[in-house]
Amino acid sequence: MIVPFTCWQRYGDVQVVRDRYGEMAAWIDSLKTHSSGLIRPAGGYGDWLGVEDGTPLDLIGTAYFAESTAMMAQMARALGRSYDALRFLALWSEIRDAFRTRFVAADGRTGNGSQTSYVLALGFHLVPGGLVKAAADNLAAGIKAHGGHLTTGFLDTGGLLPMLTATGRSDVAYQLLEQKTVPSWGCQIGNGATRIWAREGRTRTHGVLHDPALYSLDHFGLGAVGDWIHRTVGGIDPDPAHPGYQHFFLRPACGSGPHAVPGRADERYLAPYGQVRSCWERSAGAFVLRASVPRNTTATVFVPASSRNAVSAPPGARFVRTGGGTAVYEVGSGSYTFTAY
């Protein structure tokens, strides 16, 4: 489900969805058939290599059942299969309600309170709107309770930092990114890693490296943090409504307080239409964003600023609105420099 969906979203080519559609639809039907009240059975490896903060397997399975069905509804719509799209959307709504009834409490507590429980529920839009803030606060509190460390494993380390950012806790996300004690990416770097290991820095005990044959020293699971750096620090974020980066967002999140990104970032991505670039620099008095938008594409640019008057915008940038500490502009292809004071 995830690979065809992601290929379609990133490259804008629906053929991979068309080729796999029958199998994916049958998979959703099988999940439904072998569920109880749309709750998946407790099976599988769960959030592999999570850190002493296990997550109920039925919660994980049900969350991914919901997300897979939501993806299926979007892919059916992209193929013009309107009836299927409505059918899968209705099923997703039923799964969401079943998930909420079983796993989400009135105070926003989700599952057993593990970090993965919150990231899945929030990231897959399974928490009622009125409880999103409470759930996000619970997630941040859980990270604090673990000494400012992550406890997620392969399934949801990639979703942890994006979810913190989406719920207004970029400060916590940057704290995790900069953490240097076990378990953390910084611990790996401090122990000589040049790639992301499979075990979050738990590979050393009393200074002794465990047998490398037991794990990978170059693994995508925990390396998924790179996607957050790319889409959030750099700010190059694809628009799901326009697959293939025909339209995209440029919205760097620079953090705040002691966990702000120091100085600058320069992110580049070779999209189907050409290279996208987001290069920003922050000094004491200004924030400068230099953006490159390929031909035949458009972008929505988010500039950190309290008002439109605080931004020096380039010719060709159309002002849209301000809100949430940002000034928003629409641009077409070309190169642009925004300065916020």
Side-chain angles (χ1 to χ4, degrees), residues 75-131:
M75 290 187 285
R77 189 179 303 111
L79 293 180
R81 295 174 175 261
S82 301
Y83 173 80
D84 280 1
L86 292 174
R87 177 171 71 90
F88 288 123
L89 186 61
L91 176 59
W92 171 82
S93 180
E94 294 174 1
I95 302 167
R96 177 201 61 192
D97 291 346
F99 183 95
R100 290 175 175 178
T101 299
R102 173 69 68 88
F103 300 113
V104 182
D107 61 355
R109 180 178 172 84
T110 301
N112 64 344
S114 69
Q115 292 178 23
T116 292
S117 294
Y118 288 114
V119 175
L120 287 175
L122 289 165
F124 293 167
H125 308 289
L126 301 175
V127 177
L131 295 178

Side-chain angles (χ1 to χ4, degrees), residues 1 16-30 72 79 81 84 87-88:
M1 300 296 303
V16 65
V17 173
R18 184 176 288 111
D19 290 345
R20 302 269 74 88
Y21 187 85
E23 295 159 303
M24 293 188 294
W27 171 245
I28 295 296
D29 291 340
S30 176
M72 200 67 212
L79 293 180
R81 295 174 175 261
D84 280 1
R87 177 171 71 90
F88 288 123

Side-chain angles (χ1 to χ4, degrees), residues 38-41 57-67 95 98-99 103 126:
L38 299 178
I39 300 297
R40 295 289 299 147
L57 299 181
D58 52 351
L59 182 150
I60 292 174
T62 306
Y64 273 98
F65 180 21
E67 182 68 357
I95 302 167
F99 183 95
F103 300 113
L126 301 175

Side-chain angles (χ1 to χ4, degrees), residues 243-303:
Y245 288 83
Q246 189 169 19
H247 176 268
F248 54 90
F249 303 106
L250 291 175
R251 46 182 171 196
C254 310
S256 59
H259 301 292
V261 172
R264 65 189 301 271
D266 191 349
E267 191 75 29
R268 308 178 195 204
Y269 177 70
L270 186 57
Y273 291 89
Q275 181 174 267
V276 181
R277 186 182 184 189
S278 171
C279 177
W280 59 262
E281 186 170 5
R282 180 174 49 194
S283 61
F287 175 91
V288 179
L289 171 63
R290 295 178 176 86
S292 297
V293 180
R295 293 180 179 181
N296 300 315
T297 67
T298 59
T300 303
V301 183
F302 295 74
V303 182

Side-chain angles (χ1 to χ4, degrees), residues 182 191 202-210:
V182 177
N191 283 316
R202 290 175 294 159
T203 48
R204 283 187 180 268
T205 302
H206 305 300
V208 178
L209 187 65
H210 295 174

Side-chain angles (χ1 to χ4, degrees), residues 170-176 178-179 254-262 282:
S170 289
D171 58 326
V172 180
Y174 282 109
Q175 178 186 5
L176 289 171
E178 297 170 353
Q179 180 64 258
C254 310
S256 59
H259 301 292
V261 172
R282 180 174 49 194

Side-chain angles (χ1 to χ4, degrees), residues 115 142-150 172 175-177 179 181 183-184:
Q115 292 178 23
I143 293 169
K144 182 178 180 180
H146 283 87
H149 293 87
L150 57 80
V172 180
Q175 178 186 5
L176 289 171
L177 185 70
Q179 180 64 258
T181 55
S184 69

